[in-house]
Amino acid sequence: MGAPRIVRVDPVRPEKDRLAVAVDVLRGGGIVAFPTETVYGLGAPVTRVDALIKIFRVKGRPPDNPLIVHIATWDQLHEVAVVDSDTIERLGEVWPGPVTVVLRRRRVPDVVTAGRDTVAVRMPGHPAALALIELLGEPIAAPSANKAGKPSPTAAQHVVEDLDGDVDLVVDGGETFFGVESTIVDLTGETPTLLRPGPLTVEELERVFGPVKVPDFARGLSEPDAALAPGMKYRHYAPEKPLVIVASDMAAMASALAERGLTPCMYWVGPEEPPHLDKTRVIVLGGDPYEVARNLYNGLRMLDKEDCDIGLFPAIEEKGIGLAIMNRVRKASRGSSVPI
Ligand code: AMP
Ligand code: MG
């Protein structure tokens, strides 16, 4: 297939006439990649089962990995989920924004929820995503717009690299704001449970929802129970080359690898300039954790493009958005080891 059609929109004041082109594609049964404040999504109207099946097919996504329902209005929330007034009030404090909640499901096709009795819902904060859903007039179900297992797309170009002509239209709103996927919190149990860390931190969640359980798998330390966090069990965000997390001296590790004839790619995090090391390439991610999150997936994609053999990633502090970064990096590095 040829290259997908691309329409550019202003990420802050998206042009309605351009989004109307995307709405036409969606109404015609097509699938559309669009920017959100987290990563690019690949969406179809929540009721268009044929188009939703196509999303699974082009991504190579296992059918037991459910999608997130993206909404623009509170009425749409009531259509897809069972929700009490107390929860709505709390959600009003975090939406629109980068947090997805798991609730009891109402009227949603099985393909969206992977047949579960719960549904994941989010009101995204990106003006183009909100305007697209509003213009369409119904929720858009969407996973991230990448091939299953690969780093999520944080720019329209990444979507084109991964999915090429398999996507009918890409709404290009420039780079996404946060660069990692939404926080997911399950509200169906007694205590809210973090399923995936993201831009909205545990600290911020707890201010709104009270104490939140943070299981080991949410840190990327273990495999989740598939019943609780479907989809999280899959290898994710992973470059082709090995990637290892280095808790000790990065420069020493890079030199040891170079001495053995390997070229490491060293990820650099922090406000200082990276050191100049022999036979080592440097991928600069940024000085503060939000900048690192924004550059993370492009950085993981660069590992496969750079002329190097292995990626070295520094262990960073797991607080705030750092929890989300380390969760992604642990999953991306699963199965990799240092070949010395
Ligand atoms: P993606 O947008 O590609 O990051 O995928 C959405 C993620 O949301 C999936 O990996 C699921 O694990 C999660 N998710 C979607 N629906 C549910 C649900 N009903 N219960 C728990 N997690 C869910
Ligand atoms: Mg994904």
Side-chain angles (χ1 to χ4, degrees):
M1 283 176 97
R5 288 168 70 196
I6 297 178
V7 287
R8 298 189 72 107
V9 297
D10 184 312
V12 180
R13 280 187 207 82
E15 299 82 352
K16 290 248 159 66
D17 55 328
R18 301 204 180 166
L19 291 176
V21 177
V23 169
D24 282 346
V25 172
L26 290 170
R27 294 212 173 113
I31 60 176
V32 169
F34 61 99
T36 80
E37 71 272 40
T38 58
V39 300
Y40 273 74
L42 181 61
V46 71
T47 52
R48 278 306 287 247
V49 173
D50 53 342
L52 294 167
I53 290 171
K54 187 175 169 196
I55 289 176
F56 281 84
R57 185 160 46 78
V58 307
K59 276 188 59 106
R61 185 176 179 95
D64 63 350
N65 191 358
L67 309 183
I68 294 173
V69 177
H70 294 75
I71 58 169
T73 67
W74 297 95
D75 282 348
Q76 290 174 344
L77 175 63
H78 290 286
E79 284 163 24
V80 298
V82 182
V83 60
D84 59 45
S85 54
D86 177 51
T87 305
I88 290 174
E89 203 168 300
R90 292 171 204 263
L91 287 174
E93 293 185 43
V94 293
W95 278 355
V99 59
T100 298
V101 293
V102 174
L103 299 166
R104 296 270 156 230
R105 145 198 194 182
R106 211 192 282 273
R107 257 171 294 128
V108 189
D110 273 340
V111 61
V112 172
T113 66
R116 313 170 72 81
D117 58 6
T118 56
V119 61
V121 192
R122 173 161 98 89
M123 192 185 286
H126 195 295
L130 272 180
L132 180 65
I133 301 163
E134 264 166 27
L135 272 182
L136 177 70
E138 71 168 306
I140 293 180
S144 51
N146 52 293
K147 285 271 185 212
K150 292 281 135 207
S152 296
T154 56
Q157 188 51 38
H158 298 158
V159 180
V160 177
E161 276 170 22
D162 266 25
L163 302 172
D164 203 11
D166 285 343
V167 34
D168 298 301
L169 185 83
V170 180
V171 177
D172 181 353
E175 280 185 31
T176 58
F177 308 148
F178 289 111
V180 290
E181 302 83 351
S182 60
T183 306
I184 304 183
V185 60
D186 184 348
L187 298 181
T188 62
E190 202 126 293
T191 311
T193 301
L194 185 73
L195 300 185
R196 176 172 76 185
L200 196 90
T201 65
V202 173
E203 297 82 344
E204 288 164 325
L205 272 179
E206 291 195 321
R207 241 174 276 141
V208 176
F209 294 98
V212 171
K213 250 193 288 187
V214 181
D216 271 355
F217 72 77
R219 297 182 185 279
L221 287 169
S222 65
E223 294 302 316
D225 175 357
L228 190 63
M232 309 285 171
K233 63 182 189 282
Y234 297 106
R235 184 160 188 255
H236 243 104
Y237 323 117
E240 305 287 334
K241 287 182 189 157
L243 175 75
V244 295
I245 299 169
V246 181
S248 54
D249 185 347
M250 281 276 271
M253 173 71 91
S255 308
L257 288 169
E259 266 168 39
R260 284 163 177 79
L262 294 168
T263 305
C265 260
M266 188 172 78
Y267 287 95
W268 191 254
V269 168
E272 312 85 24
E273 283 286 304
H276 291 283
L277 298 173
D278 236 18
K279 295 184 204 129
T280 298
R281 295 183 187 276
V282 178
I283 299 175
V284 176
L285 291 178
D288 71 81
Y290 280 93
E291 203 182 343
V292 172
R294 247 191 339 267
N295 293 326
L296 179 65
Y297 288 137
N298 191 50
L300 293 179
R301 284 171 186 266
M302 274 171 69
L303 182 59
D304 289 334
K305 294 174 187 163
E306 286 279 336
D307 188 14
C308 63
D309 304 301
I310 180 171
L312 304 179
F313 201 101
I316 65 171
E317 199 183 357
E318 288 178 72
K319 70 167 204 241
I321 200 169
L323 186 68
I325 295 168
M326 287 311 287
N327 161 289
R328 306 308 190 273
V329 176
R330 286 212 177 90
K331 284 167 185 268
S333 67
R334 191 143 297 158
S336 298
S337 58
V338 183
I340 50 174

